[in-house]
Amino acid sequence: MAASKPTPFGKLHKASSTWMNDLAKPGSSVVYSCTNCGSPLFEETKRFNAGCGFPSFWMHYGEHVVLNPLDTYGRSRIQLLCSHCGAHLGHLFPHKGTPTQLRYCINEKAIQLNSL
């Protein structure tokens, strides 16, 4: 599968508070894939409502998400990128309420639903 060019930054950086209603229902047999290249990124069974307005997951799918440490704007954080096309997906944060103690905070424009 040939990699596509990353989607322009502005297209993937608008949050919505309605994403939970627009995406799959909890427990569905689906994966969330990169809207840019179609690579599977997150399983529905790993999604949770963090109350932040962004799709949140506690684990990524396989080796399809790259963790990229950033030290910008006077703070350190971890940027999440698609391993196939390099598209920006969101950021990784600590979260005590998940099995991994992590929250993958994802821009809803960066993912799309696909059946397993």
Side-chain angles (χ1 to χ4, degrees):
M1 173 192 252
S4 302
K5 290 182 182 178
T7 304
F9 182 83
K11 278 183 132 179
L12 295 181
H13 287 81
K14 183 180 176 191
S16 168
S17 60
T18 61
W19 76 270
M20 288 289 289
N21 296 327
D22 295 337
L23 299 180
K25 300 296 180 209
S28 299
S29 295
V30 297
V31 294
Y32 295 91
S33 300
C34 178
T35 56
N36 195 49
C37 71
S39 177
L41 301 170
F42 301 97
E43 295 175 83
E44 169 58 31
T45 57
K46 308 292 191 289
R47 180 171 66 101
F48 71 102
N49 185 352
C52 63
F54 288 92
S56 296
F57 301 87
W58 53 268
M59 174 71 80
H60 62 271
Y61 185 83
E63 300 297 319
H64 298 225
V65 176
V66 173
L67 283 62
N68 181 39
L70 294 177
D71 286 309
T72 56
Y73 307 109
R75 60 184 176 166
S76 296
R77 59 192 172 191
I78 298 175
Q79 178 186 40
L80 301 170
L81 304 170
C82 174
S83 66
H84 288 342
C85 70
H88 173 85
L89 304 172
H91 293 92
L92 185 67
F93 299 104
H95 193 93
K96 292 181 181 178
T98 69
T100 58
Q101 304 290 295
L102 298 171
R103 175 172 56 98
Y104 291 74
C105 184
I106 305 300
N107 185 302
E108 73 175 300
K109 303 293 184 191
I111 56 175
Q112 62 188 1
L113 283 174
N114 289 310
S115 297
L116 284 177

